[in-house]
């Protein structure tokens, strides 16, 4: 390889590397770091009922109005490949983030959370909760 071609190759490779790194940095998560993740999975009494699922989602959305909830994400079962390690028996999930355990405790006793349980618990037959301290 002559010097001109090699120099051009190296400068092109360096530019591509820098561009890739810059793109990766802009795609890096920018969300704030929270202390507690509260993951909840709901199984509907009437499994497969789209009406009940939408009603439950409507209720979960009210939880974002609790002042200690920093982020809320609502999900339904993804149509990914079926594997033995994947549990797709649930219907709706919620993922809430709190700054700390105290914020999560406020959520548990908050009037909006209590109203949610009172008004929507007739829709589910099972609820499983996973609380995580984020590291």
């Amino acid at each position: 390889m002559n010097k001109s071609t090699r120099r051009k190759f190296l400068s092109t490779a360096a530019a591509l590397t820098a561009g890739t790194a810059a793109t990766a940095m802009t795609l890096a998560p920018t969300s704030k770091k929270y202390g507690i993740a509260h993951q909840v999975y709901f199984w509907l009494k009437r499994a497969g009922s789209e009406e009940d699922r939408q009603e439950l989602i409507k209720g979960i959305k009210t939880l974002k109005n609790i002042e200690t909830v920093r982020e809320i994400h609502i999900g339904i079962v993804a149509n990914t490949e079926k594997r033995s390690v994947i549990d797709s028996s649930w219907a709706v999930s919620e993922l809430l983030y709190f700054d700390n355990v105290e914020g999560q405790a406020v959520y548990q006793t908050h009037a909006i959370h209590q109203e949610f349980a009172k008004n929507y618990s007739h829709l589910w037959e099972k609820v499983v909760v996973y609380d995580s301290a984020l590291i």
Side-chain angles (χ1 to χ4, degrees):
M1 181 182 287
N2 70 36
K3 287 186 181 184
S4 174
T5 305
R6 183 169 184 231
R7 194 172 298 132
K8 185 176 180 181
F9 169 78
L10 290 174
S11 65
T12 301
L16 288 173
T17 301
T20 301
T23 301
M25 287 190 301
T26 60
L27 296 177
T30 57
S31 65
K32 298 173 185 164
K33 176 135 174 128
Y34 302 115
I36 301 293
H38 178 71
Q39 302 172 4
V40 184
Y41 294 86
F42 298 90
W43 283 257
L44 295 175
K45 283 183 181 174
R46 295 190 318 157
S49 169
E50 182 62 26
E51 180 182 334
D52 288 0
R53 183 171 80 172
Q54 290 305 316
E55 185 70 11
L56 180 55
I57 290 169
K58 180 178 117 185
I60 293 170
K61 287 179 179 180
T62 66
L63 300 174
K64 69 182 175 197
N65 297 316
I66 299 173
E67 63 274 5
T68 59
V69 172
R70 298 300 177 229
E71 287 186 39
I72 182 170
H73 302 274
I74 301 169
I76 59 172
V77 176
N79 191 22
T80 56
E81 69 176 294
K82 305 304 177 214
R83 299 185 301 142
S84 62
V85 296
I86 296 176
D87 179 0
S88 57
S89 63
W90 52 276
V92 179
S93 69
E94 72 176 56
L95 172 58
L96 304 176
Y97 290 101
F98 302 93
D99 288 334
N100 48 42
V101 172
E102 294 79 15
Q104 200 270 347
V106 167
Y107 160 82
Q108 289 298 329
T109 59
H110 198 283
I112 293 173
H113 183 249
Q114 300 301 314
E115 283 294 307
F116 165 75
K118 180 179 136 192
N119 295 332
Y120 296 93
S121 63
H122 70 280
L123 296 171
W124 64 74
E125 70 173 354
K126 177 181 171 182
V127 177
V128 175
V129 177
Y130 299 97
D131 286 333
S132 303
L134 301 175
I135 54 172

